[in-house]
Amino acid sequence: MIVLGAAMILAGVGLFFASTVLLLRAYRGRRIPYRISNETMPESSNLMQLIGMLLIIATGFFVARELAPWNFLVLLLTAIAQFIIFAIHNRRVKAEQHVDDVE
């Protein structure tokens, strides 16, 4: 069961980051708002992120109780990584806008 649980966590993290890639593509050249709502997030990205989170959480509750404390840590680290990716994207967009303003 632990192997199945680890596979579910990896699938959840993969879906979470696939959702992030879709969001970055949707906001190419524009800043990503930190207050993302259903209106500002692509629908497929929103669904992928939700399924990824549910896979990560369900692993500890239903599949492998041995992984129960760790799945929440994985979810937290995944969310922090997504926030860092958004910050890097927004900083890059801001730098590109400043270069355009100077020229």
Side-chain angles (χ1 to χ4, degrees):
M1 287 307 234
I2 292 177
V3 174
L4 177 63
M8 286 177 63
I9 286 177
L10 288 176
V13 169
L15 284 172
F16 205 88
F17 282 115
S19 162
T20 303
V21 169
L22 286 176
L23 194 63
L24 290 174
R25 286 183 183 166
Y27 280 93
R28 182 172 288 154
R30 295 183 298 159
R31 296 193 69 213
I32 298 173
Y34 288 111
R35 295 171 121 204
I36 294 179
S37 64
N38 288 337
E39 295 84 31
T40 59
M41 192 168 184
E43 188 174 328
S44 58
S45 175
N46 198 5
L47 183 64
M48 288 174 74
Q49 189 171 20
L50 177 68
I51 292 172
M53 281 195 246
L54 289 176
L55 277 174
I56 293 170
I57 292 172
T59 298
F61 286 126
F62 302 118
V63 178
R65 294 187 187 264
E66 298 87 4
L67 298 174
W70 299 107
N71 65 335
F72 289 108
L73 179 64
V74 168
L75 185 63
L76 177 67
L77 292 175
T78 306
I80 290 171
Q82 185 183 39
F83 183 77
I84 291 170
I85 290 169
F86 289 169
I88 292 169
H89 171 81
N90 286 342
R91 183 172 293 187
R92 187 176 302 143
V93 168
K94 186 177 180 181
E96 288 173 2
Q97 288 174 351
H98 283 298
V99 168
D100 292 339
D101 291 341
V102 172
E103 295 175 356

